[in-house]
Amino acid sequence: MKISSLKSLSLATVLSIGAIAGFSHQVDSKPAPTHATIAVKADKVVRANKLNTNNTSFINKQSNGVAIRGTDPVAYFTQGKPVAGSASFTHRWNGATWRFSSAANRDKFAANPTAYAPQYGGYCAWAISQGYTADIDPNAWKIVDGKLYLNVSQGIQRRWERDIPGNISKANLNWPGISGR
């Protein structure tokens, strides 16, 4: 079945196809965003975000423009844990507002954003390795070879950690097509 023909399928139909194939599903209580489309990817059903490939600053940000849910990206490196950023300490970079827990962390980021910004624009590393985007949970993170990787949940984080080099390699191949870069 071609992906383009999926537009006419209802969510119930797609879930039924998955159930027939033996896949379980969980429907969350949140309404699906209007920009979501249903896609069949390999042997699983996924919800994929419609991507703006003309966007040269493809950063995971909230509707208010704040990146990575307002978490201080520098703190992952300096404190070894996620720390909420403050609206008092911000820096604009790549079309997003980044928040920091201190002026010192803001200044470190401003001096070298790519050293502290999460990989894949702050989207879920597992999702990118699978060819789509997903939001993140700031508590699902890991620094690998000096780079910050975030994931959508701690459960997905554990799945991602089963093959970190393989998942990073797949995500690195997928990211240019996803981000439009």
Side-chain angles (χ1 to χ4, degrees):
M1 178 180 294
K2 292 182 180 178
I3 296 290
S4 61
S5 66
L6 291 174
K7 291 179 182 175
S8 63
L9 293 178
S10 70
L11 177 59
T13 302
V14 173
L15 293 174
S16 296
I17 292 168
I20 291 167
F23 301 111
S24 63
H25 66 279
Q26 179 178 356
V27 178
D28 58 25
S29 60
K30 298 177 190 173
T34 58
H35 65 277
T37 59
I38 302 300
V40 175
K41 182 172 180 354
D43 63 346
K44 55 188 162 265
V45 177
V46 298
R47 186 177 292 164
N49 291 328
K50 183 177 178 183
L51 303 175
N52 177 359
T53 57
N54 294 329
N55 187 352
T56 57
S57 300
F58 198 66
I59 301 291
N60 184 7
K61 56 191 173 200
Q62 297 168 274
S63 60
N64 63 0
V66 173
I68 64 170
R69 297 186 168 264
T71 306
D72 180 343
V74 176
Y76 287 103
F77 295 90
T78 60
Q79 296 181 33
K81 64 182 181 179
V83 175
S86 166
S88 299
F89 306 110
T90 64
H91 179 74
R92 291 278 306 160
W93 179 71
N94 259 10
T97 300
W98 298 79
R99 289 187 176 174
F100 305 91
S101 58
S102 68
N105 282 5
R106 179 199 56 213
D107 296 346
K108 285 179 185 180
F109 185 90
N112 191 0
T114 58
Y116 299 104
Q119 298 302 292
Y120 318 122
Y123 286 97
C124 173
W126 166 258
I128 299 298
S129 76
Q130 301 303 299
Y132 62 98
T133 64
D135 200 7
I136 54 102
D137 172 353
N139 296 302
W141 65 280
K142 189 165 190 76
I143 295 173
V144 178
D145 296 330
K147 296 178 181 180
L148 175 60
Y149 296 88
L150 302 171
N151 279 291
V152 69
S153 69
Q154 292 182 358
I156 290 296
Q157 176 80 16
R158 287 188 294 275
R159 183 183 295 180
W160 180 79
E161 288 176 342
R162 290 181 198 153
D163 183 13
I164 291 173
N167 288 320
I168 289 173
S169 179
K170 288 188 287 187
N172 287 346
L173 291 172
N174 290 338
W175 181 240
I178 291 171
S179 68
R181 292 183 184 182

